[in-house]
Structures are given as C-alpha cells and as structure tokens.
Amino acid sequence: MDNNAIDGYAEGEEPLHFYHQKGEFRKYYDNDKMPLRDLAEGKNLPKRGFFRVLVSTKSNRAIFIGMLMCFALVLALRFLNGGANEGTVGGMYCEMSAFSFQEQLLVSVEVRPSYLTKKHHRGDYEDKAFTASFQVTNSDGQVSESVSQDFLYASPEGDSRFIRESFSDYDAGKVTCSLSLDGQTISLSSSVIRK
C-alpha cells in the first residue's frame, strides 16, 4: 500500500482540480444579499476620517454627544472646585504654594477677595484677621514641623496679600495649612516643588 496516495481516488486516477475565478460566486447572490456583494466588491466602503466616523450613524452621534457632555462636566468641575491648594473662606480666596530652595522650604499663601465678593463689593475692604497653622509632612507621612501665626489682611483696594513661612527642608514632601477666619476654617495642601 502506498502511504503517499490520496484517499478517495483509485490507483492510476488523477485527483480532481477545481478552477474558478476569484469572487465568481458573488454573481449568484440574491437581491437580499446585494449589500454584502457591494461591500465585497468595494462599491460601498465605510466612511473614512475620524470625525466622519463619529457622526456617521445615529448611535455614533449619541455616543459622541455623550462623550462631549462628560468632557464638559469634568472641565466644569475642575474649574469650579479648584485644586487642593486653593479655597475660599469668609469671602476671601486663598491659594497656597510650597517650594524648596537651597535647603529651605518656602511656603506662601496668597489671600485676596474672591471674585464674587469683589463683584458685589462697593467701597473699601475691611480688615480681616486670619489664623494660619502650617504643618510640614516628610516623605514617610509624619509631621516634621508645625507653626501657627496670626495674619491681618489690610488692603482697602482689595489687592493680594501673602502669608509666608519658611522651614528647614529635611525631606519635606507635603505642606498643609489650616486657615481660620470668622469661625470658618479651610484646609489647603500642596506638594513641595523642588527647585
């Protein structure tokens, strides 16, 4: 018995060969399969281009509009809430920054009337007494230094004033500040920027 023989053929006969042209079977499609035939022949290719694909069908438009709304919501929340280093207490906007320079940690809190306070205010601004408590946290998460100071905001024009404090930089990672004004308290935190 020959091990190289093809099953299904008697000895001495040649195997059958089928010859056809590529895609010849498509001409036998019914009318209900016409879109498949057109797609295979390249007559109705899908739309190209990033924006065209996003708005080509009703469901794609709905998804695209949903994505735009989520993106707008994220931006609105970002601008309305601000970061952890800024906040408002008693109508005063406060923003903290901390950086390390020549083995000193310099912390600065900018204090000014908030936009809404400034918009509805007429005349001179009254003096406001703040209490600022700073805590420096090292890279292990433990408080290495803490300082408290009183600050008087005195600016008749409503300009920015700064509460400044300096610490020895011993591997400081984060600074938190608790600001109190008229019985209200906010907490600001900022990572230390190395310069």
Side-chain angles (χ1 to χ4, degrees), residues 9-26:
Y9 298 103
E11 283 186 33
E13 289 184 15
E14 290 286 323
L16 293 176
H17 292 281
F18 293 96
Y19 298 97
H20 65 87
Q21 291 181 350
K22 186 176 180 180
E24 182 182 15
F25 64 92
R26 290 191 187 105

Side-chain angles (χ1 to χ4, degrees), residues 95-152:
E95 182 178 6
M96 182 173 73
S97 61
F99 64 93
S100 177
F101 182 72
Q102 294 181 351
E103 297 186 14
Q104 285 285 330
L105 175 61
L106 306 171
V107 181
S108 175
V109 178
E110 178 186 4
V111 178
R112 62 180 163 81
S114 69
Y115 172 73
L116 293 175
T117 305
K118 223 171 192 181
K119 186 176 176 183
H120 299 294
H121 188 75
R122 306 232 187 300
D124 290 343
Y125 289 89
E126 60 186 56
D127 296 348
K128 298 193 183 245
F130 285 87
T131 302
S133 300
F134 295 96
Q135 285 187 339
V136 179
T137 308
N138 60 16
S139 60
D140 296 331
Q142 297 181 1
V143 176
S144 59
E145 290 186 61
S146 61
V147 171
S148 182
Q149 67 167 293
D150 292 328
F151 171 75
L152 180 66

Side-chain angles (χ1 to χ4, degrees), residues 6-186:
I6 300 173
D7 291 339
Y9 298 103
E11 283 186 33
E13 289 184 15
E14 290 286 323
L16 293 176
H17 292 281
F18 293 96
Y19 298 97
H20 65 87
Q21 291 181 350
K22 186 176 180 180
E24 182 182 15
F25 64 92
R26 290 191 187 105
K27 69 181 177 183
Y28 300 110
Y29 274 0
D30 297 334
N31 286 337
D32 59 333
K33 303 228 180 192
M34 202 63 132
L36 292 176
R37 186 168 109 192
D38 291 345
L39 184 64
E41 292 175 354
K43 289 183 181 174
N44 60 346
L45 291 173
K47 294 184 178 182
R48 293 183 181 206
F50 182 70
F51 189 73
R52 285 184 185 166
V53 170
L54 286 177
V55 296
S56 62
T57 64
K58 197 173 194 178
S59 60
N60 285 2
R61 281 190 292 272
I63 291 171
F64 182 62
I65 290 171
M67 283 183 358
L68 288 178
M69 290 172 57
C70 287
F71 184 69
L73 180 66
V74 166
L75 285 180
L77 289 175
R78 171 69 180 122
F79 287 117
L80 291 178
N81 289 341
N85 66 330
E86 51 188 71
T88 306
V89 60
M92 301 298 284
Y93 173 79
C94 306
E95 182 178 6
M96 182 173 73
S97 61
F99 64 93
S100 177
F101 182 72
Q102 294 181 351
E103 297 186 14
Q104 285 285 330
L105 175 61
L106 306 171
V107 181
S108 175
V109 178
E110 178 186 4
V111 178
R112 62 180 163 81
S114 69
Y115 172 73
L116 293 175
T117 305
K118 223 171 192 181
K119 186 176 176 183
H120 299 294
H121 188 75
R122 306 232 187 300
D124 290 343
Y125 289 89
E126 60 186 56
D127 296 348
K128 298 193 183 245
F130 285 87
T131 302
S133 300
F134 295 96
Q135 285 187 339
V136 179
T137 308
N138 60 16
S139 60
D140 296 331
Q142 297 181 1
V143 176
S144 59
E145 290 186 61
S146 61
V147 171
S148 182
Q149 67 167 293
D150 292 328
F151 171 75
L152 180 66
Y153 176 83
S155 175
E157 297 86 25
D159 296 334
S160 295
R161 296 289 184 248
F162 293 91
I163 305 171
R164 293 194 169 104
E165 193 65 51
S166 65
F167 302 95
S168 300
D169 183 17
Y170 296 112
D171 197 27
K174 184 178 176 183
V175 179
T176 58
C177 176
S178 179
L179 286 169
S180 299
L181 173 67
D182 298 334
Q184 298 178 3
T185 304
I186 61 166

